[in-house]
Amino acid sequence: MDDGNGRTKGEVRQPYLYEAILSLVFLVLVMAVGIAKFEAEPHIPMFLGTIFAAIISLKIGYSWEDIEKGMLDGIYQALQAIIILAIIGMLIGVWLLAGVVPTMIYYGLNILNPTIFLVATTIICSITSLATGTSWGTAGTIGIALMGIAKGLGIPAPIAAGAILSGAYFGDKLSPLSDTTNLAPAMAGTDVFTHVKFMLPTTLISYGIALVLYLIIGMRFRGVNADTSAIDAIQQGLAASFKISPFLLIPPIAVIVSIAFKMPAIPGITIGIILGAIEAFIFQGANLGELLDAGFAGYISKTGVEAIDSLLTAGGLSGMMDSISLTILAMMFGGIMEKTGQLEVIVNKLIKGIKSATGLITMTILTCLVSNITMPEQYISVVVPGRMYANAYRDKGLHPKSLSNALESGGTLTSALVPWNTCGVFMTTILGVSTFQYGRWAFFNYFTPILVILLSGTSLVAARMTEEEQEKAEAGELV
């Protein structure tokens, strides 16, 4: 007889705490060794963790049919995010071909001013990251050029790197084009537009604090003439390869308006693709074949300027397959752990005695930080804690967007502050500054999680569900 959860009475028992911890510890070990020691992609370690969790589930007494259903149920919960990631891949390719992203970067670079270099650096990197959805791409292109200018101004490299990271991760956290911005709401049980709107107040507060601090620090360097030749070369390369026009800002504005008017994510992003395609015909003289290629394989930049080509060769449906496949594998693991009660056992132990929203949100952020330290990959620090705490938030009547906000604040933003995390390693390599050196200057990255914890007693961070939303959450529908 089935007990309603896929468990057969008399054959299946509740997992012991040590068994559930064993599944999680094995995943931590295989991820840490695979990524930190062998520099492997996280996909296969995640699959190995899934296999081990399945073996533990068989030991508990579950049949393979139950385990497989758990995996499929886990994947089903992420299907909207997977579809959105696929569509965003197409959007990026089309927007690059149309000149939408180059236009945003071109105008963003106009605000560079030596007197307010650190503030301008943060804003430029924010615009670039918002336009591309990638903190890595921003730091690895515009960031490198800005590091060179900082050297000419006599601004210490760690401070400049901190400003670059603050801007790059501001965009990564808020951009609907970012994979983590889509993963977080998928894990929590809400949609990307609801997630982005809810994050805005705390994100903008911490961003504003960071800008004020950069302004104060930067005043020491005012009046110094900077060599902006690297930035000028990027602008000239953009202008030579694309027709730059304010009208090319219409597609991103349309997507922002869609968010404001609560349009569902898939049609909202699709409108952006359609507008981008129309403008590609009008402004860049693209043909249908080029649009189809850009939508599938992405855009290949051939400006001859390495910084531009590195940043703008991106997008396409195929370019999102790496993130999509990792999401599927992670949800297979999460689905097994959830179906067999292993996550429930661990979470119940972690939140025992926690009665307030503040305690739960703080525990979520700390779990994300520990995940970044032990499983050094920011995707996993969003996925695993997201599946761990989804039911706990629902049981306390907290809206899933409260969880998704905590996941982004604790998972996405702290990843670059861990020296052995893939993000920390990348930023150190690209910017030539260690995480210990730039960490204290990356104000946005650590102010945001602190602010989220401090405001967790308010509706800005801990939003309550209505009765209707509670019913939808219990039915497994997006809230």
Side-chain angles (χ1 to χ4, degrees):
M1 185 182 295
D2 193 288
D3 69 356
N5 292 311
R7 302 174 185 173
T8 306
K9 293 182 177 179
E11 298 178 7
V12 178
R13 59 173 172 79
Q14 187 77 8
Y16 299 127
L17 180 60
Y18 84 87
E19 292 170 325
I21 291 177
L22 204 57
S23 291
L24 203 55
V25 167
F26 182 85
L27 178 66
V28 169
L29 289 175
V30 73
M31 290 288 290
V33 171
I35 295 172
K37 181 175 176 57
F38 296 107
E39 299 182 356
E41 294 296 323
H43 300 65
I44 304 306
M46 176 56 73
F47 181 62
L48 294 175
T50 302
I51 294 173
F52 190 85
I55 293 171
I56 293 293
S57 302
L58 290 170
K59 180 178 180 294
I60 294 170
Y62 283 88
S63 67
W64 173 250
E65 288 73 20
D66 291 330
I67 296 169
E68 188 176 78
K69 187 176 188 306
M71 288 191 291
L72 294 176
D73 287 346
I75 295 170
Y76 178 78
Q77 292 177 40
L79 273 182
Q80 190 201 48
I82 290 170
I83 293 170
I84 290 173
L85 284 171
I87 295 174
I88 283 173
M90 302 177 208
L91 177 103
I92 294 172
V94 170
W95 278 13
L96 287 168
L97 178 65
V100 173
V101 173
T103 294
M104 293 177 70
I105 296 172
Y106 181 89
Y107 287 134
L109 292 175
N110 282 336
I111 65 176
L112 187 64
N113 186 316
T115 305
I116 53 169
F117 175 79
L118 293 175
V119 172
T121 290
T122 306
I123 295 174
I124 289 168
C125 289
S126 299
I127 294 171
T128 304
S129 191
L130 280 168
T132 60
T134 168
S135 55
W136 285 31
T138 299
T141 53
I142 301 296
I144 292 175
L146 290 168
M147 287 294 288
I149 295 174
K151 184 177 180 181
L153 285 171
I155 296 175
I159 301 178
I164 290 167
L165 257 73
S166 288
Y169 276 91
F170 172 82
D172 198 346
K173 186 176 189 285
L174 285 182
S175 176
L177 309 185
S178 167
D179 40 17
T180 54
T181 307
N182 284 277
L183 280 178
M187 298 306 103
T190 188
D191 66 274
V192 64
F193 284 0
T194 299
H195 169 61
V196 170
K197 284 183 66 177
F198 186 67
M199 287 194 299
L200 273 175
T202 51
T203 302
L204 291 177
I205 292 171
S206 59
Y207 187 69
I209 294 171
L211 288 180
V212 169
L213 291 174
Y214 288 134
L215 180 62
I216 294 171
I217 295 169
M219 293 299 285
R220 289 185 290 168
F221 308 101
R222 62 183 174 181
V224 179
N225 292 322
D227 179 10
T228 60
S229 57
I231 295 296
D232 292 339
I234 291 174
Q235 281 194 305
Q236 290 167 12
L238 290 172
S241 301
F242 300 92
K243 182 174 177 57
I244 304 297
S245 168
F247 289 106
L248 286 166
L249 299 177
I250 291 175
I253 291 172
V255 173
I256 293 170
V257 171
S258 299
I259 296 174
F261 283 89
K262 299 182 178 180
M263 180 180 288
I266 293 174
I269 296 170
T270 302
I271 287 173
I273 295 176
I274 294 170
L275 291 174
I278 293 171
E279 294 199 327
F281 285 121
I282 296 173
F283 289 96
Q284 313 304 338
N287 58 48
L288 180 59
E290 290 173 327
L291 277 169
L292 295 176
D293 286 342
F296 176 74
Y299 178 76
I300 299 175
S301 177
K302 299 177 181 178
T303 66
V305 180
E306 185 178 352
I308 297 177
D309 293 340
S310 177
L311 181 62
L312 300 187
T313 298
L317 174 62
S318 60
M320 278 295 180
M321 285 303 145
D322 186 73
S323 296
I324 289 172
S325 60
L326 181 60
T327 302
I328 291 172
L329 291 168
M331 292 309 294
M332 286 167 59
F333 173 81
I336 292 174
M337 294 289 285
E338 194 167 348
K339 181 76 172 178
T340 60
Q342 295 184 66
L343 278 185
E344 183 182 354
V345 170
I346 295 172
V347 172
N348 286 344
K349 189 69 175 177
L350 287 173
I351 66 173
K352 186 178 181 180
I354 294 179
K355 302 186 183 298
S356 66
T358 296
L360 184 56
I361 290 169
T362 301
M363 180 60 73
T364 303
I365 290 176
L366 290 176
T367 304
C368 291
L369 176 59
V370 171
S371 178
N372 267 325
I373 294 171
T374 57
M375 294 181 284
E377 167 58 53
Q378 72 169 348
Y379 293 124
I380 309 305
S381 71
V382 170
V383 172
V384 174
R387 295 320 307 156
M388 284 177 65
Y389 292 108
N391 289 336
Y393 276 72
R394 186 191 67 198
D395 293 344
K396 289 190 179 296
L398 291 172
H399 197 287
K401 62 188 179 184
S402 303
L403 172 57
S404 63
N405 183 31
L407 293 175
E408 283 264 57
S409 301
T412 303
L413 297 186
T414 64
S415 58
L417 304 178
V418 179
W420 50 88
N421 189 283
T422 52
C423 295
V425 171
F426 177 84
M427 294 301 173
T428 294
T429 303
I430 288 297
L431 301 178
V433 183
S434 74
T435 53
F436 293 111
Q437 291 176 308
Y438 69 60
R440 66 190 177 116
W441 304 105
F443 299 132
F444 177 74
N445 292 62
Y446 62 80
F447 277 153
T448 303
I450 292 172
L451 186 66
V452 168
I453 291 173
L454 291 176
L455 296 178
S456 57
T458 72
S459 59
L460 283 176
V461 173
R464 298 284 173 179
M465 286 190 285
T466 63
E467 289 185 11
E468 182 183 352
E469 289 171 336
Q470 186 88 33
E471 290 173 1
K472 288 179 68 176
E474 289 173 357
E477 300 176 12
L478 290 179
V479 179

mmCIF file of all heavy atoms in Angstrom, residues 77 183-184 186-189 331 338 343 364 367-368 379-393 403-404 407:
data_model
loop_
_atom_site.group_PDB
_atom_site.id
_atom_site.type_symbol
_atom_site.label_atom_id
_atom_site.label_comp_id
_atom_site.label_asym_id
_atom_site.label_seq_id
_atom_site.Cartn_x
_atom_site.Cartn_y
_atom_site.Cartn_z
ATOM 1 N N GLN A 77 10.146 20.107 -11.808
ATOM 2 C CA GLN A 77 10.083 21.365 -11.069
ATOM 3 C C GLN A 77 10.965 22.442 -11.692
ATOM 4 O O GLN A 77 10.734 23.640 -11.482
ATOM 5 C CB GLN A 77 10.502 21.136 -9.608
ATOM 6 C CG GLN A 77 9.516 20.294 -8.819
ATOM 7 C CD GLN A 77 9.998 20.037 -7.401
ATOM 8 O OE1 GLN A 77 10.543 20.911 -6.749
ATOM 9 N NE2 GLN A 77 9.798 18.829 -6.917
ATOM 10 N N LEU A 183 17.994 30.109 -12.197
ATOM 11 C CA LEU A 183 18.045 28.908 -11.367
ATOM 12 C C LEU A 183 17.428 29.134 -9.993
ATOM 13 O O LEU A 183 16.701 28.274 -9.481
ATOM 14 C CB LEU A 183 19.501 28.445 -11.201
ATOM 15 C CG LEU A 183 20.125 27.658 -12.343
ATOM 16 C CD1 LEU A 183 21.582 27.328 -12.015
ATOM 17 C CD2 LEU A 183 19.351 26.382 -12.609
ATOM 18 N N ALA A 184 17.716 30.278 -9.380
ATOM 19 C CA ALA A 184 17.256 30.536 -8.017
ATOM 20 C C ALA A 184 15.732 30.455 -7.887
ATOM 21 O O ALA A 184 15.223 29.740 -7.009
ATOM 22 C CB ALA A 184 17.786 31.882 -7.525
ATOM 23 N N ALA A 186 13.677 28.956 -9.871
ATOM 24 C CA ALA A 186 13.256 27.601 -10.223
ATOM 25 C C ALA A 186 13.393 26.664 -9.025
ATOM 26 O O ALA A 186 12.531 25.819 -8.776
ATOM 27 C CB ALA A 186 14.083 27.073 -11.388
ATOM 28 N N MET A 187 14.469 26.808 -8.266
ATOM 29 C CA MET A 187 14.675 25.978 -7.088
ATOM 30 C C MET A 187 13.682 26.327 -5.977
ATOM 31 O O MET A 187 13.255 25.465 -5.207
ATOM 32 C CB MET A 187 16.093 26.145 -6.547
ATOM 33 C CG MET A 187 17.217 25.725 -7.487
ATOM 34 S SD MET A 187 17.039 24.042 -8.113
ATOM 35 C CE MET A 187 16.429 24.347 -9.776
ATOM 36 N N ALA A 188 13.317 27.606 -5.913
ATOM 37 C CA ALA A 188 12.449 28.070 -4.827
ATOM 38 C C ALA A 188 10.971 27.814 -5.110
ATOM 39 O O ALA A 188 10.186 27.620 -4.187
ATOM 40 C CB ALA A 188 12.687 29.560 -4.584
ATOM 41 N N GLY A 189 10.592 27.843 -6.390
ATOM 42 C CA GLY A 189 9.190 27.628 -6.730
ATOM 43 C C GLY A 189 8.464 28.885 -7.169
ATOM 44 O O GLY A 189 7.255 29.019 -6.964
ATOM 45 N N MET A 331 18.857 18.604 -10.425
ATOM 46 C CA MET A 331 17.481 18.324 -10.029
ATOM 47 C C MET A 331 17.218 16.835 -9.887
ATOM 48 O O MET A 331 16.327 16.421 -9.142
ATOM 49 C CB MET A 331 16.512 18.950 -11.034
ATOM 50 C CG MET A 331 16.525 20.478 -11.013
ATOM 51 S SD MET A 331 16.336 21.184 -9.357
ATOM 52 C CE MET A 331 14.666 20.694 -8.956
ATOM 53 N N GLU A 338 14.736 14.571 -2.047
ATOM 54 C CA GLU A 338 13.440 15.043 -1.561
ATOM 55 C C GLU A 338 12.430 13.910 -1.493
ATOM 56 O O GLU A 338 11.703 13.765 -0.494
ATOM 57 C CB GLU A 338 12.937 16.151 -2.493
ATOM 58 C CG GLU A 338 11.793 16.950 -1.932
ATOM 59 C CD GLU A 338 11.524 18.221 -2.727
ATOM 60 O OE1 GLU A 338 12.357 18.596 -3.577
ATOM 61 O OE2 GLU A 338 10.469 18.826 -2.498
ATOM 62 N N LEU A 343 16.415 14.880 2.386
ATOM 63 C CA LEU A 343 16.511 16.322 2.618
ATOM 64 C C LEU A 343 15.723 16.728 3.854
ATOM 65 O O LEU A 343 16.158 17.567 4.648
ATOM 66 C CB LEU A 343 15.990 17.094 1.408
ATOM 67 C CG LEU A 343 16.935 17.300 0.226
ATOM 68 C CD1 LEU A 343 16.276 18.190 -0.818
ATOM 69 C CD2 LEU A 343 18.247 17.916 0.664
ATOM 70 N N THR A 364 19.675 29.824 5.607
ATOM 71 C CA THR A 364 19.774 29.611 4.159
ATOM 72 C C THR A 364 21.038 30.253 3.601
ATOM 73 O O THR A 364 21.793 29.621 2.838
ATOM 74 C CB THR A 364 18.542 30.207 3.446
ATOM 75 O OG1 THR A 364 17.351 29.632 3.981
ATOM 76 C CG2 THR A 364 18.608 29.929 1.949
ATOM 77 N N THR A 367 24.084 28.385 4.684
ATOM 78 C CA THR A 367 24.200 27.117 3.949
ATOM 79 C C THR A 367 24.756 27.358 2.549
ATOM 80 O O THR A 367 25.585 26.589 2.051
ATOM 81 C CB THR A 367 22.826 26.422 3.849
ATOM 82 O OG1 THR A 367 22.287 26.226 5.161
ATOM 83 C CG2 THR A 367 22.949 25.063 3.159
ATOM 84 N N CYS A 368 24.316 28.438 1.901
ATOM 85 C CA CYS A 368 24.841 28.790 0.575
ATOM 86 C C CYS A 368 26.342 29.085 0.656
ATOM 87 O O CYS A 368 27.121 28.654 -0.209
ATOM 88 C CB CYS A 368 24.108 29.998 0.014
ATOM 89 S SG CYS A 368 22.389 29.706 -0.432
ATOM 90 N N TYR A 379 26.694 27.402 -9.050
ATOM 91 C CA TYR A 379 25.424 26.792 -9.418
ATOM 92 C C TYR A 379 24.925 25.871 -8.307
ATOM 93 O O TYR A 379 23.746 25.868 -7.965
ATOM 94 C CB TYR A 379 25.576 25.964 -10.705
ATOM 95 C CG TYR A 379 25.879 26.767 -11.942
ATOM 96 C CD1 TYR A 379 26.997 26.500 -12.710
ATOM 97 C CD2 TYR A 379 25.033 27.790 -12.355
ATOM 98 C CE1 TYR A 379 27.286 27.235 -13.854
ATOM 99 C CE2 TYR A 379 25.303 28.528 -13.495
ATOM 100 C CZ TYR A 379 26.430 28.246 -14.240
ATOM 101 O OH TYR A 379 26.701 28.978 -15.366
ATOM 102 N N ILE A 380 25.847 25.091 -7.756
ATOM 103 C CA ILE A 380 25.463 24.121 -6.731
ATOM 104 C C ILE A 380 25.041 24.829 -5.448
ATOM 105 O O ILE A 380 24.156 24.359 -4.732
ATOM 106 C CB ILE A 380 26.626 23.147 -6.449
ATOM 107 C CG1 ILE A 380 27.152 22.561 -7.765
ATOM 108 C CG2 ILE A 380 26.182 22.022 -5.525
ATOM 109 C CD1 ILE A 380 26.098 21.901 -8.611
ATOM 110 N N SER A 381 25.655 25.989 -5.165
ATOM 111 C CA SER A 381 25.299 26.729 -3.956
ATOM 112 C C SER A 381 23.911 27.345 -4.065
ATOM 113 O O SER A 381 23.350 27.805 -3.067
ATOM 114 C CB SER A 381 26.332 27.833 -3.688
ATOM 115 O OG SER A 381 26.226 28.873 -4.636
ATOM 116 N N VAL A 382 23.355 27.367 -5.254
ATOM 117 C CA VAL A 382 21.982 27.826 -5.460
ATOM 118 C C VAL A 382 21.025 26.643 -5.493
ATOM 119 O O VAL A 382 19.962 26.661 -4.869
ATOM 120 C CB VAL A 382 21.867 28.644 -6.769
ATOM 121 C CG1 VAL A 382 20.401 28.926 -7.112
ATOM 122 C CG2 VAL A 382 22.634 29.956 -6.653
ATOM 123 N N VAL A 383 21.416 25.580 -6.193
ATOM 124 C CA VAL A 383 20.531 24.435 -6.410
ATOM 125 C C VAL A 383 20.300 23.620 -5.137
ATOM 126 O O VAL A 383 19.156 23.376 -4.732
ATOM 127 C CB VAL A 383 21.084 23.523 -7.532
ATOM 128 C CG1 VAL A 383 20.272 22.234 -7.610
ATOM 129 C CG2 VAL A 383 21.056 24.245 -8.862
ATOM 130 N N VAL A 384 21.375 23.184 -4.487
ATOM 131 C CA VAL A 384 21.235 22.283 -3.336
ATOM 132 C C VAL A 384 20.520 22.956 -2.155
ATOM 133 O O VAL A 384 19.523 22.419 -1.653
ATOM 134 C CB VAL A 384 22.609 21.710 -2.914
ATOM 135 C CG1 VAL A 384 22.472 20.896 -1.627
ATOM 136 C CG2 VAL A 384 23.175 20.835 -4.034
ATOM 137 N N PRO A 385 20.970 24.140 -1.693
ATOM 138 C CA PRO A 385 20.221 24.793 -0.612
ATOM 139 C C PRO A 385 18.779 25.127 -1.018
ATOM 140 O O PRO A 385 17.873 25.106 -0.184
ATOM 141 C CB PRO A 385 21.024 26.066 -0.338
ATOM 142 C CG PRO A 385 22.404 25.748 -0.802
ATOM 143 C CD PRO A 385 22.203 24.888 -2.006
ATOM 144 N N GLY A 386 18.580 25.431 -2.311
ATOM 145 C CA GLY A 386 17.231 25.740 -2.780
ATOM 146 C C GLY A 386 16.281 24.582 -2.575
ATOM 147 O O GLY A 386 15.157 24.749 -2.081
ATOM 148 N N ARG A 387 16.720 23.383 -2.928
ATOM 149 C CA ARG A 387 15.875 22.202 -2.731
ATOM 150 C C ARG A 387 15.780 21.825 -1.257
ATOM 151 O O ARG A 387 14.771 21.283 -0.805
ATOM 152 C CB ARG A 387 16.418 21.015 -3.536
ATOM 153 C CG ARG A 387 16.386 21.182 -5.039
ATOM 154 C CD ARG A 387 15.132 21.858 -5.548
ATOM 155 N NE ARG A 387 13.895 21.238 -5.097
ATOM 156 C CZ ARG A 387 12.731 21.853 -5.007
ATOM 157 N NH1 ARG A 387 12.626 23.133 -5.290
ATOM 158 N NH2 ARG A 387 11.656 21.207 -4.602
ATOM 159 N N MET A 388 16.826 22.116 -0.494
ATOM 160 C CA MET A 388 16.817 21.785 0.935
ATOM 161 C C MET A 388 15.727 22.551 1.686
ATOM 162 O O MET A 388 15.015 21.994 2.518
ATOM 163 C CB MET A 388 18.175 22.093 1.565
ATOM 164 C CG MET A 388 19.269 21.091 1.262
ATOM 165 S SD MET A 388 20.869 21.574 1.968
ATOM 166 C CE MET A 388 20.498 21.495 3.734
ATOM 167 N N TYR A 389 15.595 23.842 1.376
ATOM 168 C CA TYR A 389 14.759 24.703 2.211
ATOM 169 C C TYR A 389 13.402 25.069 1.608
ATOM 170 O O TYR A 389 12.616 25.767 2.254
ATOM 171 C CB TYR A 389 15.520 25.993 2.538
ATOM 172 C CG TYR A 389 16.707 25.773 3.442
ATOM 173 C CD1 TYR A 389 18.008 25.875 2.951
ATOM 174 C CD2 TYR A 389 16.541 25.430 4.777
ATOM 175 C CE1 TYR A 389 19.112 25.667 3.777
ATOM 176 C CE2 TYR A 389 17.626 25.219 5.612
ATOM 177 C CZ TYR A 389 18.905 25.338 5.104
ATOM 178 O OH TYR A 389 19.981 25.120 5.929
ATOM 179 N N ALA A 390 13.118 24.610 0.390
ATOM 180 C CA ALA A 390 11.864 24.998 -0.268
ATOM 181 C C ALA A 390 10.641 24.668 0.586
ATOM 182 O O ALA A 390 9.746 25.505 0.770
ATOM 183 C CB ALA A 390 11.760 24.325 -1.641
ATOM 184 N N ASN A 391 10.580 23.460 1.117
ATOM 185 C CA ASN A 391 9.424 23.056 1.921
ATOM 186 C C ASN A 391 9.371 23.802 3.247
ATOM 187 O O ASN A 391 8.287 24.112 3.751
ATOM 188 C CB ASN A 391 9.450 21.546 2.162
ATOM 189 C CG ASN A 391 9.142 20.754 0.908
ATOM 190 O OD1 ASN A 391 8.489 21.256 -0.004
ATOM 191 N ND2 ASN A 391 9.619 19.529 0.844
ATOM 192 N N ALA A 392 10.535 24.088 3.829
ATOM 193 C CA ALA A 392 10.573 24.788 5.119
ATOM 194 C C ALA A 392 9.990 26.193 4.976
ATOM 195 O O ALA A 392 9.249 26.664 5.851
ATOM 196 C CB ALA A 392 12.008 24.857 5.633
ATOM 197 N N TYR A 393 10.298 26.876 3.877
ATOM 198 C CA TYR A 393 9.731 28.206 3.645
ATOM 199 C C TYR A 393 8.219 28.113 3.457
ATOM 200 O O TYR A 393 7.460 28.923 3.996
ATOM 201 C CB TYR A 393 10.372 28.845 2.409
ATOM 202 C CG TYR A 393 11.684 29.540 2.695
ATOM 203 C CD1 TYR A 393 12.846 28.826 2.981
ATOM 204 C CD2 TYR A 393 11.779 30.926 2.679
ATOM 205 C CE1 TYR A 393 14.052 29.453 3.249
ATOM 206 C CE2 TYR A 393 12.978 31.581 2.931
ATOM 207 C CZ TYR A 393 14.108 30.830 3.225
ATOM 208 O OH TYR A 393 15.292 31.466 3.491
ATOM 209 N N LEU A 403 12.897 32.877 -0.480
ATOM 210 C CA LEU A 403 13.968 31.894 -0.598
ATOM 211 C C LEU A 403 14.874 32.201 -1.774
ATOM 212 O O LEU A 403 16.108 32.166 -1.642
ATOM 213 C CB LEU A 403 13.375 30.481 -0.745
ATOM 214 C CG LEU A 403 14.350 29.349 -1.080
ATOM 215 C CD1 LEU A 403 15.462 29.242 -0.043
ATOM 216 C CD2 LEU A 403 13.604 28.019 -1.210
ATOM 217 N N SER A 404 14.302 32.522 -2.929
ATOM 218 C CA SER A 404 15.135 32.785 -4.116
ATOM 219 C C SER A 404 16.049 33.981 -3.891
ATOM 220 O O SER A 404 17.192 33.997 -4.349
ATOM 221 C CB SER A 404 14.260 32.982 -5.357
ATOM 222 O OG SER A 404 13.419 34.110 -5.220
ATOM 223 N N LEU A 407 18.900 32.810 -1.757
ATOM 224 C CA LEU A 407 19.809 31.957 -2.534
ATOM 225 C C LEU A 407 20.777 32.800 -3.364
ATOM 226 O O LEU A 407 21.978 32.511 -3.419
ATOM 227 C CB LEU A 407 19.012 31.035 -3.455
ATOM 228 C CG LEU A 407 18.146 29.958 -2.800
ATOM 229 C CD1 LEU A 407 17.325 29.226 -3.853
ATOM 230 C CD2 LEU A 407 19.004 28.980 -2.009
#
